[in-house]
């Protein structure tokens, strides 16, 4: 992503071992497009399942997150 000039690394002025990663201005312009793509993919995925199946999947994921 750095080679494609979508992110830039910034050295922390107080601790040179740490780096911050920030989106570049060209990447910021892509944010709405990326959000729209993610939303459309989520709708496409969830359309294949019933609300009960989605609720079960969400419950399984919560269980895995909490207990592991």
């Amino acid at each position: 992503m750095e080679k494609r000039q979508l992110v830039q690394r910034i050295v922390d002025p107080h601790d040179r071992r740490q780096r911050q990663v920030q989106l570049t201005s060209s990447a910021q312009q892509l944010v709405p497009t990326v959000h729209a793509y993610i939303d459309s993919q989520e709708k496409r995925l969830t359309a294949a399942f019933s609300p009960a199946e989605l609720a079960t999947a969400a419950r399984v994921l919560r269980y895995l997150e909490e207990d592991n």
Side-chain angles (χ1 to χ4, degrees):
M1 291 178 75
E2 196 171 18
K3 287 180 183 179
R4 294 178 65 194
Q5 298 181 344
L6 296 174
V7 296
Q8 60 185 359
R9 295 181 200 203
I10 300 171
V11 177
D12 186 326
H14 303 292
D15 186 351
R16 295 189 54 78
R17 296 172 295 174
Q18 294 187 11
R19 306 281 189 273
Q20 293 179 348
V21 178
Q22 292 183 339
L23 293 178
T24 62
S25 59
S26 59
Q28 284 287 348
Q29 294 174 356
L30 294 173
V31 168
T33 304
V34 171
H35 278 272
Y37 174 78
I38 291 171
D39 288 343
S40 70
Q41 291 300 307
E42 182 178 357
K43 286 177 186 172
R44 186 173 155 234
L45 174 67
T46 56
F49 300 97
S50 70
E53 290 170 322
L54 292 171
T56 300
R59 200 168 74 240
V60 168
L61 291 173
R62 275 194 303 277
Y63 173 81
L64 292 172
E65 180 182 44
E66 292 169 0
D67 290 342
N68 292 316

